[in-house]
Amino acid sequence: MNQLDIVIDAITSRRSVRGFLPKPVSVGLINKILATASYAPSGSNIQPWKVHVVTGGKRDELSRQLREAHVRNLPEEREYDYYPVNWRSPYIERRRETGWGLYETLGIKKGDRKASAQQHERNYAFFGAPVVLIFSIDNDLQQGSWLDYGMFLQNIMVAARACGLHTCPQAALANYPGITKNLLGISEDQTVICGISMGYEDSNCLANRYRPARITLDEFVTFHS
């Protein structure tokens, strides 16, 4: 495989994996992935990212507290709106297609709120991944820095693929920032953006069989000449 094919394969094989093996990921490999990701561009090279690597006992305790909050149905404390406040076409249809496509793969029927809640709870078990990355940003940085952050996050996921790992980016891991900040010592002048679960894929996990569709070039590309 030539260099171009390696890069393209790392990008196109990236997907949200929802079932990981308990196999540990070495600190050296984590550092390699994060060092590679740090080459993401940022306006005036301000590099706005802050990464909190959570493993071992701290990972287990974070999971316990987040799952407890979810099971107790505590109100979410998100520090920003990730999704649209008012959903509209074509985004609502794409969201429904993805959500129900996953649930159909898992055998969860429409209206089965108990099974849906249990699947959602797996977010807070990090889908079994041994490594959880929590991302925060200074409160006073603007939209441009958030755009820069997105490129950094993508670099992490692509670099992980190149290293034989899989990831699952999770907006849900920003639902209870008070819990996360308290446990990880993140200061109040930071906003918790999201998390990424990372590890080796469990190929026997049913959820990993689902592949959401991608829209065609005709749907999002306009050429001007």
Side-chain angles (χ1 to χ4, degrees):
M1 189 179 295
N2 61 41
Q3 188 175 34
L4 176 60
D5 289 337
I6 292 172
V7 173
I8 290 177
D9 181 70
I11 294 172
T12 57
S13 66
R14 185 221 63 80
R15 54 192 171 82
S16 295
V17 162
R18 294 179 175 85
F20 293 87
L21 298 172
K23 179 180 177 180
V25 180
S26 71
V27 173
L29 188 53
I30 296 170
N31 284 337
K32 180 178 181 179
I33 290 169
L34 294 177
T36 301
S38 72
Y39 282 84
S42 60
S44 298
N45 198 36
I46 68 171
Q47 304 171 76
W49 32 82
K50 290 182 170 60
V51 186
H52 311 269
V53 181
V54 191
T55 61
K58 190 71 72 172
R59 172 221 177 271
D60 295 345
E61 179 59 21
L62 179 60
S63 175
R64 186 191 69 78
Q65 292 189 28
L66 292 176
R67 293 175 78 176
E68 181 180 342
H70 173 74
V71 170
R72 291 173 60 195
N73 200 27
L74 295 181
E76 296 177 355
E77 307 168 353
R78 292 193 65 88
E79 299 173 291
Y80 72 100
D81 290 323
Y82 181 87
Y83 288 111
V85 176
N86 297 306
W87 285 93
R88 61 177 175 82
S89 184
Y91 309 112
I92 185 63
E93 290 85 3
R94 293 173 188 167
R95 184 190 196 200
R96 287 170 177 164
E97 180 182 1
T98 297
W100 287 117
L102 174 62
Y103 281 7
E104 184 178 1
T105 301
L106 294 172
I108 299 175
K109 306 297 183 182
K110 290 185 179 181
D112 190 343
R113 295 186 177 182
K114 181 179 180 180
S116 297
Q118 288 174 340
Q119 176 60 27
H120 185 66
E121 184 186 345
R122 296 196 68 236
N123 276 282
Y124 304 116
F126 317 124
F127 302 109
V131 179
V132 184
L133 307 176
I134 300 293
F135 303 94
S136 64
I137 189 171
D138 290 357
N139 292 341
D140 59 348
L141 293 181
Q142 300 300 316
Q143 288 176 315
S145 293
W146 286 66
L147 291 172
D148 297 338
Y149 219 121
M151 292 184 279
F152 173 67
L153 295 174
Q154 175 74 356
N155 270 8
I156 290 175
M157 292 182 278
V158 172
R161 285 300 303 122
C163 293
L165 302 177
H166 272 285
T167 56
C168 186
Q170 296 170 257
L173 297 188
N175 285 346
Y176 302 102
I179 291 174
T180 302
K181 287 181 174 181
N182 182 62
L183 185 64
L184 303 183
I186 300 173
S187 64
E188 287 303 317
D189 62 359
Q190 296 279 304
T191 295
V192 176
I193 294 179
C194 66
I196 289 180
S197 294
M198 184 169 69
Y200 296 94
E201 179 187 9
D202 179 359
S203 59
N204 293 320
C205 177
L206 194 59
N208 291 339
R209 298 180 185 177
Y210 177 63
R211 301 287 191 278
R214 298 295 174 178
I215 61 176
T216 65
L217 292 182
D218 290 343
E219 295 177 87
F220 71 92
V221 177
T222 302
F223 284 90
H224 304 267
S225 60

